[in-house]
Amino acid sequence: MKRIAVTGGAGQINYNLLFRIASGDLLGKDVPVALHILEVPPFIDVLKGVVMELNDCCFPLLQEIVIGTDPFEVFEDVNFALLVGAKPRSKGMERKDLILDNGKIFVEQGKALNAKAAKDVKVVVVGNPCNTNCLICMHNAPDISKDQFFAMTRLDENRAKAFLAQEAKVLTTDVKKMAIWGNHSKTQVPDFFHAEIQGKKAIEVLSEDWLKNTFVEKVQNRGGAIIEARGKSSAASAASAALDTVFSLVSTTPEDDWHSLCLYTKNNPYNIDNDLIFSFPCRTLEDGSIKIIEAVEWTPYLEEKIALSQKELLEEREMIAHLL
Ligand code: NAD
Ligand code: LMR
């Protein structure tokens, strides 16, 4: 059985995510799970309602549910920690505007994971701004190897794949190597130069003008477009991307593909500052280790845009330096 910690259990992402984990969409239909769900005191009763519904589903794989408001209790022995619980932005805000409110959450949660989680715990931060929150969490968990911390750009990758597939009139499964570089923010860099559609470079299939001037902005602004349309930020698609992230962490990546993942930059092959959580194209190897794909050639366009995303992450780090 695997123990899965999920934070923000009464929130909108979790009203989808918890049920999908319990039904076997995280680790497969043959892996029993225990859910360890954290909430803040004002929303614990709402979470109790969610737990009633989880029980009422009779999920065969769901063997135990632990809930609470103290991460030092809830994170006991967990093998995965999906850190979702944090304020979402609303219309007109950027994700980094959340940093001072949300950043501090990840100090205590990092300490609690350090003290209580299973040694093999893999931590995936979803709560925004997720790269910098992940950096805070990792620095507050000094006994957990830094290569066990990740933040999520898989939703951006999935959005990018969907846009490319729609434009090329193919299936999303025909799109591969759709890397996102940098920060999960408007400065993210969806790398259309290396994306492939049915085995061909996307730039050979679609117009470079559309890729550069329409596609990139659509991906960068998709989170905002959803807030504009729904009045709330993405939830079911975010939950789905979190499941995809964990799937890619625990399964060997096919030879002809990559997955986008934000991870610790120490000794990265692209000369990005050594103390950030940054999105790279990655591959999970047969032994379970995660490798950044090396020697992806940066065009001058990529170089300029990736530098801007790095600059934003350096500024975010400056703002929360006291939490590291
Ligand atoms: P929500 O407001 O519906 O739910 C958040 C929940 O977290 C609330 O129930 C809140 O009480 C709880 N919470 C707050 N502080 C907590 C703490 N210290 N411990 C435990 N729980 C806590 O928000 P949501 O729509 O579910 O989004 C959650 C976060 O995920 C937001 O920051 C949002 O911006 C982010 N997000 C990230 C991505 C991504 O791609 N990385 C995608 C979508 C949303
Ligand atoms: C997203 O990309 O949908 C999330 O990061 C939520 C947001 O604030 O846009």
Side-chain angles (χ1 to χ4, degrees):
M1 181 172 74
K2 295 291 181 191
R3 297 190 172 276
I4 324 288
V6 185
T7 66
Q12 52 148 7
I13 293 177
N14 272 310
Y15 197 60
N16 183 285
L17 180 61
L18 290 168
F19 293 83
R20 291 195 61 191
I21 297 173
S23 70
D25 285 353
L26 186 76
L27 297 173
K29 302 283 178 196
D30 52 351
V31 183
V33 292
L35 284 171
H36 291 229
I37 315 172
L38 187 73
E39 248 306 337
V40 289
F43 289 95
I44 198 74
D45 285 338
V46 178
L47 175 57
K48 285 179 183 161
V50 176
V51 170
M52 288 181 209
E53 288 204 68
L54 279 165
N55 284 326
D56 294 349
C57 291
C58 297
F59 289 118
L61 293 172
L62 182 56
Q63 302 217 334
E64 196 182 330
I65 304 177
V66 176
I67 68 167
T69 58
D70 179 352
F72 286 84
E73 287 172 10
V74 174
F75 291 166
E76 184 91 46
D77 287 338
V78 297
N79 308 102
F80 292 88
L82 305 182
L83 305 185
V84 178
K87 248 192 198 169
R89 66 178 167 144
S90 43
K91 283 183 195 178
M93 288 172 81
E94 291 301 334
R95 296 175 185 87
K96 68 181 167 208
D97 298 334
L98 298 164
I99 201 165
L100 293 177
D101 278 343
N102 284 348
K104 53 184 185 261
I105 294 173
F106 295 85
V107 173
E108 194 196 18
Q109 292 184 4
K111 290 182 175 155
L113 287 167
N114 197 56
K116 298 292 182 174
K119 286 294 156 239
D120 68 349
V121 68
K122 285 188 164 62
V123 182
V124 177
V125 179
V126 174
N128 278 320
C130 59
N131 297 58
T132 300
N133 289 337
C134 182
L135 188 75
I136 296 169
C137 187
M138 184 190 77
H139 275 284
N140 282 279
D143 302 329
I144 301 175
S145 171
K146 294 189 170 24
D147 59 14
Q148 291 168 228
F149 288 85
F150 309 96
M152 189 168 96
T153 39
R154 185 54 168 269
L155 180 54
D156 309 294
E157 175 187 322
N158 287 350
R159 289 166 171 164
K161 278 185 170 159
F163 287 137
L164 291 180
Q166 282 157 20
E167 188 68 12
K169 301 190 173 48
V170 298
L171 301 175
T172 52
T173 46
D174 291 326
V175 182
K176 310 247 191 247
K177 297 190 174 174
M178 184 52 248
I180 305 291
W181 300 89
N183 196 5
H184 171 63
S185 75
K186 243 162 70 176
T187 68
Q188 67 174 277
V189 187
D191 180 353
F192 59 82
F193 292 99
H194 298 95
E196 293 179 1
I197 300 174
Q198 291 182 330
K200 286 190 181 157
K201 295 275 184 212
I203 33 177
E204 291 167 18
V205 177
L206 298 170
S207 95
E208 188 164 341
D209 177 54
W210 180 83
L211 288 164
K212 231 180 215 165
N213 299 315
T214 304
F215 165 74
V216 169
E217 275 192 25
K218 275 177 86 145
V219 179
Q220 290 170 331
N221 293 325
R222 185 62 153 191
I226 289 167
I227 293 171
E228 200 55 51
R230 266 174 35 90
K232 293 182 198 156
S233 60
S234 63
S237 57
S240 200
L243 298 168
D244 290 343
T245 302
V246 173
F247 177 81
S248 291
L249 283 174
V250 299
S251 52
T252 308
T253 310
E255 270 309 308
D256 63 347
D257 209 355
W258 301 334
H259 58 96
S260 302
L261 192 61
C262 309
L263 38 70
Y264 192 45
T265 49
K266 185 132 195 156
N267 300 328
N268 74 87
Y270 291 97
N271 212 18
I272 298 293
D273 180 280
N274 260 324
D275 189 25
L276 293 175
I277 298 287
F278 198 90
S279 184
F280 296 99
C282 293
R283 171 167 293 129
T284 305
L285 305 184
E286 264 174 51
D287 66 2
S289 61
I290 317 289
K291 280 266 169 263
I292 296 174
I293 306 289
E294 294 190 18
V296 176
E297 202 184 320
W298 287 358
T299 62
Y301 171 94
L302 284 177
E303 192 160 345
E304 182 197 326
K305 304 286 180 202
I306 291 170
L308 288 175
S309 205
Q310 174 178 216
K311 181 167 172 282
E312 182 183 51
L313 281 168
L314 291 169
E315 287 163 6
E316 288 184 19
R317 189 179 70 193
E318 201 56 41
M319 289 173 73
I320 52 77
H322 59 292
L323 303 178
L324 297 179

